[in-house]
Amino acid sequence: MKTKIALIGSREFIEHVQTSIALDLNTIELIPYIYGEPQEASLHIKNLTPCDAVLFSGALPYFFSKEECRTLSVPVLYLEQDETALVTSLLYILHHHGIEPDRVSIDLMDLSFIDHAQSDLHLKNPPRYVMDYKERLPHTFHIDDYTDFHRQLFLDGKTDMALTSIHAVYDRLVELHIPCMRMIDPAKSLIRAIEKAHSQSLLSKRKAATIAAARLSVQYCEGEHEHLHELARLMKGTLQKIEDNASYTIYSNRGSIEHFLESTDFHEHSMLAGFGYGHTAAEAETNAEIALSFARKADSNSCAFILNEEKELSGPFPNKSKKQHLKNDTPDMLSLAKQLKLSPANLSKLVQFYKSRSARDFTAAELSDYLQITRRSTERILKKLVDNGSARIIGEEMTYAQGRPRAIYELTFPIY
């Protein structure tokens, strides 16, 4: 299965990637999202269909979308501008237009690129008119400032051409009939960024699949057994009682545990817990026991610590902001529920099910187990989604020698 990467950039950038390198990416599928100005990039986040990673065309759109990206459960990267892009662009201008660097106005991410290029190339006429935006992001950045910067220098006769790394500035300079060029993104840099997004998506999936153990210490109360089994279901794990001990262990994976901590109000469960990650079940259980010992020392009747395979301890939970996903009262979600012909409650559960997984594909049985509804009810929901184009069947699996193969599904509507 190909790795899906959401590519967020300007129209020119997307077209450049699609025509120059996309054909060489046999194991990667790029899903384009186009904006007019960098500030608009954040609007795409809530419209992203299921993907394995998100790659922005540069630092500008990334910084304007940084807050919205906090809700994403996949790696988020941006194409980093460097000296290679600057030198390649200046060489192009010198070779094709005969304009020396000191007659070119430049906007870029970091002023240090100019110093490095000058030092490496020993330029006789280094760039003199440069404006960066590293320190302005995101609050004091304004497109007009950069357009005016290039325009005024050209009108004053100090420059013969503008070199901009901001596509919206390029469009405005063209309208003003000012000679200009977009900063060149070398093909090698683009390929490297896409391959990095690919690698991080694979690493994220492996990390989410790391073995995890949850060691729980609870006081006996009515309904305790059902409560523990409900916790095991929420963590997608298996519950075991520790003999001669008032503790229980749930075996699961890291992705499911982290999703449980992010989406659950821990105070509701009144217990002490230690979560451990490891390369083996024994290592995860040992780390969970150590983490639980820290929870027992904490001055709280309900808290948890996490100890990972690198012996890094975090906690206590829940003294961190938690995201509540049980309500579905936002206008966007209600509108989406109407479009998909699902109840808001079922849509919310479906989205949470999808976000909690390290893989994009799933079966009706897996969804049925998560939703705690019958297989027939689950298949009705999936049929409704497939019929209106909100899900599709991408394959089938035959896990038993007899019976019909089970369909494998993938969602196609925005879930972030």
Side-chain angles (χ1 to χ4, degrees):
M1 181 183 295
K2 287 189 174 183
T3 297
K4 287 190 176 182
I5 299 177
L7 186 63
I8 302 177
S10 67
R11 184 173 300 279
E12 293 82 0
F13 175 83
I14 297 295
E15 290 175 352
H16 173 56
V17 172
Q18 290 176 331
T19 56
S20 62
I21 66 171
L23 296 178
D24 299 328
L25 305 173
N26 297 323
T27 62
I28 299 171
E29 181 181 356
L30 300 176
I31 313 299
Y33 294 88
I34 299 172
Y35 60 74
E37 295 192 359
Q39 294 92 326
E40 300 171 3
S42 62
L43 301 177
H44 285 299
I45 301 303
K46 65 179 180 181
N47 294 321
L48 293 179
T49 56
C51 58
D52 301 302
V54 177
L55 177 62
F56 288 89
S57 61
L60 276 177
Y62 167 74
F63 278 100
F64 282 117
S65 309
K66 199 170 182 179
E67 281 301 314
E68 289 78 3
C69 286
R70 296 184 188 280
T71 64
L72 300 180
S73 55
V74 295
V76 179
L77 305 88
Y78 63 89
L79 177 63
E80 296 186 30
Q81 191 180 77
D82 58 16
E83 292 83 354
T84 304
L86 172 64
V87 171
T88 302
S89 301
L90 290 175
L91 180 61
Y92 182 94
I93 292 174
L94 181 62
H95 180 73
H96 291 279
H97 299 282
I99 300 175
E100 294 287 341
D102 63 341
R103 296 290 298 175
V104 179
S105 59
I106 305 171
D107 67 60
L108 40 58
M109 175 67 176
D110 194 335
L111 281 175
S112 65
F113 297 162
I114 299 292
D115 297 331
H116 297 160
Q118 181 178 350
S119 174
D120 293 340
L121 301 177
H122 304 288
L123 296 175
K124 294 181 180 179
N125 302 308
R128 299 169 56 190
Y129 308 107
V130 185
M131 187 174 184
D132 73 345
Y133 44 82
K134 182 178 180 181
E135 302 300 328
R136 295 170 175 246
L137 294 174
H139 303 297
T140 61
F141 175 89
H142 300 288
I143 290 286
D144 291 341
D145 293 344
Y146 296 85
T147 305
D148 293 341
F149 164 74
H150 292 292
R151 183 179 66 86
Q152 196 59 52
L153 285 168
F154 179 76
L155 293 178
D156 291 344
K158 296 179 179 178
T159 59
D160 299 318
M161 177 169 281
L163 175 61
T164 176
S165 57
I166 307 169
H167 289 251
V169 171
Y170 172 82
D171 292 337
R172 295 185 184 186
L173 292 175
V174 169
E175 292 175 359
L176 294 169
H177 305 291
I178 294 176
C180 58
M181 192 182 92
R182 289 186 292 266
M183 190 81 72
I184 295 174
D185 293 313
K188 189 172 183 179
S189 298
L190 288 171
I191 293 173
R192 189 185 301 119
I194 293 171
E195 289 178 344
K196 184 177 180 180
H198 179 221
S199 299
Q200 288 204 12
S201 73
L202 297 179
L203 178 62
S204 177
K205 289 181 180 180
R206 286 196 294 269
K207 185 178 177 181
T210 300
I211 299 172
R215 185 61 62 85
L216 311 177
S217 178
V218 298
Q219 298 296 323
Y220 179 80
C221 61
E222 186 177 352
E224 172 195 340
H225 191 260
E226 291 77 8
H227 180 57
L228 288 169
H229 278 282
E230 173 64 12
L231 287 173
R233 186 187 73 80
L234 291 173
M235 298 180 198
K236 295 185 179 179
T238 302
L239 177 69
Q240 289 188 12
K241 187 179 188 302
I242 308 300
E243 295 297 330
D244 302 323
N245 198 327
S247 299
Y248 295 81
T249 300
I250 295 175
Y251 295 97
S252 184
N253 61 66
R254 181 171 183 163
S256 298
I257 295 297
E258 290 182 348
H259 177 72
F260 168 79
L261 289 171
E262 289 177 0
S263 59
T264 304
D265 186 350
F266 207 79
H267 283 305
E268 293 179 357
H269 300 290
S270 299
M271 74 179 75
L272 300 176
F275 297 98
Y277 306 145
H279 300 292
T280 65
E283 181 185 3
E285 189 175 355
T286 299
N287 288 342
E289 182 61 42
I290 295 172
L292 178 59
S293 69
F294 281 91
R296 284 173 170 153
K297 296 175 184 176
D299 186 20
S300 174
N301 294 323
S302 181
C303 73
F305 281 81
I306 297 176
L307 185 65
N308 65 19
E309 64 271 30
E310 297 173 353
K311 302 300 181 183
E312 294 174 339
L313 184 71
S314 57
F317 294 87
N319 294 335
K320 293 185 178 182
S321 59
K322 297 299 168 195
K323 301 169 186 174
Q324 301 300 320
H325 299 293
L326 302 181
K327 289 185 178 180
N328 198 354
D329 55 2
T330 64
D332 288 343
M333 291 296 281
L334 291 173
S335 175
L336 184 59
K338 284 185 179 180
Q339 293 176 30
L340 303 182
K341 298 179 181 178
L342 286 177
S343 71
N346 279 341
L347 174 60
S348 181
K349 292 177 182 177
L350 183 62
V351 168
Q352 290 313 305
F353 163 74
Y354 214 76
K355 284 185 176 181
S356 69
R357 298 173 57 78
S358 59
R360 295 193 314 270
D361 57 303
F362 63 95
T363 64
E366 291 169 333
L367 181 58
S368 176
D369 180 63
Y370 182 87
L371 298 179
Q372 290 293 285
I373 59 177
T374 65
R375 179 75 172 272
R376 180 170 295 182
S377 296
T378 303
E379 289 176 344
R380 279 200 295 266
I381 291 175
L382 288 172
K383 183 179 185 305
K384 190 181 296 184
L385 291 173
V386 171
D387 288 346
N388 65 31
S390 302
R392 62 184 176 187
I393 298 175
I394 61 172
E396 59 183 25
E397 64 178 14
M398 189 73 176
T399 54
Y400 303 100
Q402 298 179 343
R404 292 185 303 171
R406 299 194 301 181
I408 301 175
Y409 297 88
E410 181 181 71
L411 299 183
T412 61
F413 64 87
I415 65 168
Y416 301 110

